[in-house]
Short mmCIF file of all heavy atoms in Angstrom, two decimals:
data_model
loop_
_atom_site.label_atom_id
_atom_site.label_comp_id
_atom_site.label_asym_id
_atom_site.label_seq_id
_atom_site.Cartn_x
_atom_site.Cartn_y
_atom_site.Cartn_z
N ALA B 408 14.31 24.28 -17.88
CA ALA B 408 13.96 25.05 -16.67
C ALA B 408 14.54 24.32 -15.37
O ALA B 408 15.07 25.06 -14.51
CB ALA B 408 12.45 24.89 -16.49
N ALA B 409 14.57 23.09 -15.35
CA ALA B 409 15.22 22.38 -14.19
C ALA B 409 16.74 22.72 -14.13
O ALA B 409 17.26 22.92 -13.04
CB ALA B 409 14.92 20.94 -14.33
N ALA B 410 17.30 22.75 -15.31
CA ALA B 410 18.73 22.95 -15.27
C ALA B 410 19.08 24.31 -14.87
O ALA B 410 20.04 24.53 -14.15
CB ALA B 410 19.27 22.76 -16.70
N VAL B 411 18.31 25.32 -15.35
CA VAL B 411 18.61 26.74 -14.96
C VAL B 411 18.38 26.84 -13.44
O VAL B 411 19.18 27.43 -12.80
CB VAL B 411 17.68 27.67 -15.73
CG1 VAL B 411 17.68 29.04 -15.17
CG2 VAL B 411 18.06 27.64 -17.16
N THR B 412 17.27 26.26 -12.89
CA THR B 412 17.05 26.33 -11.43
C THR B 412 18.22 25.71 -10.79
O THR B 412 18.59 26.14 -9.68
CB THR B 412 15.82 25.51 -11.17
OG1 THR B 412 14.82 25.97 -12.06
CG2 THR B 412 15.30 26.06 -9.77
N ALA B 413 18.76 24.58 -11.32
CA ALA B 413 19.88 23.91 -10.58
C ALA B 413 21.06 24.77 -10.63
O ALA B 413 21.86 24.74 -9.74
CB ALA B 413 20.16 22.58 -11.33
N VAL B 414 21.19 25.58 -11.52
CA VAL B 414 22.42 26.50 -11.61
C VAL B 414 22.21 27.58 -10.70
O VAL B 414 23.18 28.07 -10.05
CB VAL B 414 22.72 26.92 -13.13
CG1 VAL B 414 23.86 27.94 -13.03
CG2 VAL B 414 23.05 25.72 -13.94
N LEU B 415 20.88 28.14 -10.53
CA LEU B 415 20.65 29.20 -9.69
C LEU B 415 20.92 28.87 -8.26
O LEU B 415 21.41 29.81 -7.42
CB LEU B 415 19.22 29.59 -9.75
CG LEU B 415 18.80 30.61 -10.91
CD1 LEU B 415 17.31 30.82 -10.96
CD2 LEU B 415 19.53 31.86 -10.78
N ALA B 416 20.72 27.64 -7.78
CA ALA B 416 20.73 27.29 -6.41
C ALA B 416 22.11 27.59 -5.85
O ALA B 416 22.25 28.32 -4.85
CB ALA B 416 20.24 25.80 -6.15
N PRO B 417 23.25 26.98 -6.38
CA PRO B 417 24.49 27.32 -5.86
C PRO B 417 24.81 28.85 -5.85
O PRO B 417 25.51 29.32 -4.91
CB PRO B 417 25.52 26.62 -6.73
CG PRO B 417 24.73 25.91 -7.76
CD PRO B 417 23.33 26.08 -7.55
N VAL B 418 24.34 29.60 -6.84
CA VAL B 418 24.62 31.04 -6.90
C VAL B 418 23.97 31.68 -5.70
O VAL B 418 24.69 32.40 -4.87
CB VAL B 418 24.15 31.60 -8.17
CG1 VAL B 418 24.33 33.07 -8.13
CG2 VAL B 418 24.78 31.06 -9.33
N SER B 419 22.81 31.30 -5.40
CA SER B 419 22.01 31.98 -4.23
C SER B 419 22.66 31.56 -2.92
O SER B 419 22.67 32.39 -1.97
CB SER B 419 20.59 31.83 -4.29
OG SER B 419 20.21 30.45 -4.27
N PHE B 420 23.20 30.32 -2.83
CA PHE B 420 23.75 29.81 -1.74
C PHE B 420 25.06 30.60 -1.37
O PHE B 420 25.55 30.97 -0.43
CB PHE B 420 23.99 28.39 -1.66
CG PHE B 420 22.92 27.64 -0.95
CD1 PHE B 420 21.85 27.06 -1.70
CD2 PHE B 420 22.97 27.37 0.49
CE1 PHE B 420 20.88 26.31 -1.09
CE2 PHE B 420 22.05 26.69 1.02
CZ PHE B 420 20.92 26.08 0.28
N TYR B 421 25.88 30.86 -2.63
CA TYR B 421 27.14 31.48 -2.44
C TYR B 421 27.05 32.84 -2.04
O TYR B 421 27.88 33.26 -1.24
CB TYR B 421 27.82 31.36 -3.78
CG TYR B 421 29.29 31.92 -3.80
CD1 TYR B 421 30.33 31.24 -3.24
CD2 TYR B 421 29.50 33.15 -4.32
CE1 TYR B 421 31.55 31.76 -3.07
CE2 TYR B 421 30.87 33.82 -4.23
CZ TYR B 421 31.77 33.05 -3.64
OH TYR B 421 33.06 33.61 -3.70
N ARG B 422 26.00 33.50 -2.61
CA ARG B 422 25.86 34.90 -2.25
C ARG B 422 25.53 35.19 -0.73
O ARG B 422 25.69 36.22 -0.20
CB ARG B 422 24.67 35.60 -3.08
CG ARG B 422 25.26 35.80 -4.54
CD ARG B 422 24.09 36.28 -5.26
NE ARG B 422 23.44 37.47 -4.83
CZ ARG B 422 22.44 38.08 -5.48
NH1 ARG B 422 22.08 37.54 -6.59
NH2 ARG B 422 21.97 39.18 -4.98
N ARG B 423 25.08 34.09 -0.04
CA ARG B 423 24.81 34.23 1.37
C ARG B 423 25.70 33.31 2.19
O ARG B 423 25.29 32.94 3.28
CB ARG B 423 23.32 33.87 1.65
CG ARG B 423 22.34 34.57 0.75
CD ARG B 423 20.97 34.09 0.90
NE ARG B 423 20.43 34.44 2.28
CZ ARG B 423 19.21 35.11 2.46
NH1 ARG B 423 18.64 35.59 1.49
NH2 ARG B 423 18.90 35.37 3.68
N ARG B 424 26.83 33.21 1.71
CA ARG B 424 27.83 32.17 2.30
C ARG B 424 28.25 32.64 3.75
O ARG B 424 28.43 31.86 4.64
CB ARG B 424 29.06 32.11 1.60
CG ARG B 424 29.82 33.44 1.43
CD ARG B 424 30.99 33.28 0.41
NE ARG B 424 31.66 34.49 0.07
CZ ARG B 424 31.20 35.58 -0.68
NH1 ARG B 424 29.90 35.31 -1.27
NH2 ARG B 424 32.00 36.63 -0.82
N ASP B 425 28.05 33.98 4.13
CA ASP B 425 28.34 34.46 5.51
C ASP B 425 27.27 34.06 6.50
O ASP B 425 27.68 33.87 7.71
CB ASP B 425 28.38 35.93 5.41
CG ASP B 425 29.45 36.45 4.60
OD1 ASP B 425 30.49 35.64 4.34
OD2 ASP B 425 29.44 37.59 4.10
N GLU B 426 26.03 33.70 6.01
CA GLU B 426 25.06 33.41 6.89
C GLU B 426 25.00 31.87 7.34
O GLU B 426 24.29 31.60 8.03
CB GLU B 426 23.75 33.83 6.35
CG GLU B 426 23.51 35.31 6.26
CD GLU B 426 22.47 35.61 5.24
OE1 GLU B 426 21.57 34.58 5.07
OE2 GLU B 426 22.18 36.76 4.85
N PHE B 427 25.78 31.10 6.61
CA PHE B 427 25.68 29.71 6.77
C PHE B 427 26.78 29.16 7.70
O PHE B 427 27.89 29.44 7.51
CB PHE B 427 25.57 28.90 5.46
CG PHE B 427 24.21 29.13 4.82
CD1 PHE B 427 23.88 30.16 4.02
CD2 PHE B 427 23.29 28.25 5.11
CE1 PHE B 427 22.66 30.28 3.62
CE2 PHE B 427 22.06 28.43 4.73
CZ PHE B 427 21.80 29.40 3.91
N PRO B 428 26.33 28.32 8.59
CA PRO B 428 24.96 27.99 9.07
C PRO B 428 24.20 29.14 9.71
O PRO B 428 24.85 29.95 10.27
CB PRO B 428 25.13 26.86 9.88
CG PRO B 428 26.51 26.89 10.40
CD PRO B 428 27.39 27.63 9.42
N PRO B 429 22.99 29.24 9.43
CA PRO B 429 22.25 30.43 9.98
C PRO B 429 22.18 30.42 11.42
O PRO B 429 22.22 29.46 12.06
CB PRO B 429 20.81 30.19 9.26
CG PRO B 429 20.77 28.72 9.06
CD PRO B 429 21.99 28.33 8.86
#
Side-chain angles (χ1 to χ4, degrees):
Chain B
V411 169
T412 317
V414 173
L415 275 179
V418 174
S419 60
F420 266 94
Y421 182 73
R422 285 175 57 182
R423 303 175 70 125
R424 61 192 177 283
D425 298 334
E426 294 163 10
F427 281 90

